[in-house]
Amino acid sequence: MSRPSHFIFNLPQDVIFDILSRLPTKSLIQFRSVCTSSPPLISHPSFTKLHLSSPAVDAADHHLLIYYESTDYIHQFYSLRSPITFQETLKFQIPYKHLHGYLRIVGSSKGLICFFDTNYYSNVGRLILYNPSIHKFRKIDDPLHGSDRFSHYVVGFGFVSRIFEFKIVVIAYYFDSLKLNCVLVYSLSTNSWKKLEDLIAPCYLIKGWSSNVFVNGSVNWLASKDAIRGVSHTIMAFDLDDERFRVLELPKNVVPNYDQVCLASSMNGECLSLCAHYLGGNGDKWDVWAMSDYGVVDSWKKVCVVSQPGLSIPPLLIRDDDEILVVMNDGRLMLYNVVKGEMRDLETCGLARTFRAVSYTASLALLHG
């Protein structure tokens, strides 16, 4: 007896969902476009949620997203690359025309990239969520409706696994008081903002773009303990699940006379790293620390030193203890092997200070939104 051409769709829906959820995102998208029976299943919110909860089963779902601008300040590039070879697999443009001049990457999580459309002077703007796998984006309403009471926003983004929810956090600092701010959280499922009435961010982030690292369910920023008496660095973390702040101290043994310090993430997004820059007689040197047990100050460990002339740009990404993605002062993207002390040219050049690198895992998020 011959079976129907779409035998799989004669199975119970939960069985079909389980089978399809194990497929890589690219296959699902192709399947959706050629099979008229599959779109209602793949586009179903329950299936999207199930697929988000499944680990990516194919290497093709894992990418490294590198953003950079041309040296003539005219062009912006979004480059998806293999996290193993760093070869480019796709270069795309955002189907959204920015309003304020700068489209900054806030973060990337479970297939969505969060952008902040802002300008150089105010750092107040509009937020965008974009899924390059399915070419869909969502514009997020300004939570404070362009109020002129605020000096600047600080933004974070991530996915909360426990409740299968994408969230954005905004800290808005007031013009008239450096110690006061308000905290707001956006949830994608409800497409709405809420103000955390009894919560104030415990640290200060200066006016200007403040990048972050999303690790262990928390957004982490390099912040100042005291905005009035000067910079004293610490790490301010916001847990997107319980919506509470915590303050993490820098490594106890970090040499204090650095002239730059920044946060970085590992390629797998599971480890928080700190990079401190020192300028000596032999040129630039970066000490790289990793927090092996998130939140435990005593777990900071100096994992390597990157010493190379012409390397004053903060490291972009830590692939492992031996390899670090860096940008030279002349704008060349390089992979530095710590053990061998060698640089591998990745044949990409741009405006040095514009480079940003985040991990990206393809998903169907926003498919039914």
Side-chain angles (χ1 to χ4, degrees):
M1 181 183 295
S2 62
R3 294 182 175 182
S5 57
H6 297 303
F7 172 73
I8 185 177
F9 299 111
N10 294 326
L11 297 171
Q13 180 173 286
D14 59 338
V15 176
I16 299 173
F17 276 10
D18 183 63
I19 293 171
L20 293 178
S21 70
R22 300 171 189 270
L23 296 177
T25 303
K26 185 177 181 180
S27 298
L28 289 172
I29 294 171
Q30 292 173 337
F31 192 31
R32 181 174 181 265
S33 65
V34 300
C35 183
T36 57
S37 301
S38 63
L41 292 174
I42 294 174
S43 301
H44 195 285
S46 296
F47 177 75
T48 303
K49 181 177 179 180
L50 179 63
H51 193 252
L52 283 173
S53 68
S54 301
V57 296
D58 194 279
D61 273 354
H62 297 284
H63 307 272
L64 178 66
L65 171 61
I66 297 178
Y67 168 82
Y68 60 100
E69 298 174 13
S70 58
T71 54
D72 59 7
Y73 299 86
I74 296 176
H75 302 289
Q76 296 83 41
F77 302 101
Y78 300 89
S79 174
L80 286 180
R81 303 186 177 215
S82 162
I84 300 172
T85 65
F86 291 94
Q87 290 185 332
E88 186 173 85
T89 56
L90 177 67
K91 186 171 284 182
F92 65 88
Q93 292 297 316
I94 310 298
Y96 165 83
K97 185 174 177 58
H98 58 73
L99 302 176
H100 301 286
Y102 290 88
L103 203 58
R104 314 275 195 177
I105 295 179
V106 176
S108 169
S109 190
K110 285 289 185 177
L112 290 188
I113 306 168
C114 181
F115 294 93
F116 188 37
D117 182 358
T118 182
N119 65 52
Y120 183 79
Y121 301 101
S122 74
N123 289 100
V124 172
R126 162 170 265 175
L127 287 152
I128 309 294
L129 292 176
Y130 177 60
N131 185 337
S133 296
I134 59 173
H135 311 293
K136 291 192 69 173
F137 71 92
R138 177 177 290 187
K139 294 181 285 187
I140 312 299
D141 291 336
D142 183 349
L144 298 168
H145 309 291
S147 170
D148 58 5
R149 298 177 61 198
F150 300 102
S151 163
H152 59 289
Y153 293 171
V154 170
V155 190
F157 167 75
F159 179 75
V160 182
S161 299
R162 185 183 64 84
I163 55 174
F164 300 98
E165 179 68 281
F166 292 93
K167 290 186 179 183
I168 300 171
V169 56
V170 167
I171 307 168
Y173 288 91
Y174 288 88
F175 266 117
D176 53 0
S177 176
L178 297 179
K179 292 185 176 182
L180 291 181
N181 55 72
C182 71
V183 182
L184 304 103
V185 173
Y186 169 87
S187 297
L188 178 61
S189 63
T190 61
N191 189 29
S192 63
W193 289 94
K194 65 177 178 181
K195 183 178 179 181
L196 304 184
E197 297 289 351
D198 300 323
L199 194 64
I200 294 177
C203 302
Y204 183 77
L205 283 89
I206 62 171
K207 184 177 180 179
W209 176 243
S210 299
S211 61
N212 68 83
V213 173
F214 183 66
V215 173
N216 199 49
S218 294
V219 181
N220 299 267
W221 299 272
L222 193 68
S224 298
K225 293 179 181 179
D226 193 320
I228 297 175
R229 291 180 291 181
V231 173
S232 177
H233 287 123
T234 191
I235 297 168
M236 183 172 69
F238 182 79
D239 189 311
L240 288 177
D241 190 357
D242 65 18
E243 298 180 351
R244 288 291 180 266
F245 286 100
R246 67 186 302 189
V247 176
L248 308 176
E249 298 298 329
L250 303 193
K252 295 177 182 178
N253 297 325
V254 67
V255 179
N257 63 332
Y258 50 77
D259 64 340
Q260 291 186 70
V261 64
C262 68
L263 297 180
S265 65
S266 57
M267 187 77 77
N268 60 16
E270 296 178 354
C271 183
L272 181 64
S273 296
L274 179 95
C275 304
H277 180 264
Y278 306 89
L279 188 59
N282 296 324
D284 297 283
K285 185 187 79 164
W286 287 93
D287 286 356
V288 180
W289 297 74
M291 180 180 272
S292 58
D293 187 1
Y294 180 80
V296 179
V297 175
D298 290 338
S299 71
W300 280 113
K301 177 184 177 182
K302 187 160 76 170
V303 294
C304 65
V305 175
V306 183
S307 184
Q308 193 80 9
L311 186 57
S312 64
I313 309 297
L316 295 179
L317 204 67
I318 316 299
R319 181 148 81 168
D320 51 43
D321 290 354
D322 298 332
E323 290 186 316
I324 300 177
L325 192 65
V326 299
V327 179
M328 306 302 294
N329 291 354
D330 60 8
R332 288 178 296 145
L333 183 67
M334 312 285 280
L335 186 65
Y336 181 70
N337 187 299
V338 177
V339 175
K340 298 179 180 179
E342 296 176 349
M343 288 280 193
R344 175 158 72 93
D345 195 330
L346 298 181
E347 300 180 351
T348 299
C349 190
L351 196 61
R353 291 281 175 182
T354 64
F355 276 84
R356 180 86 195 274
V358 294
S359 295
Y360 172 78
T361 302
S363 83
L364 299 174
L366 287 185
L367 183 61
H368 57 83

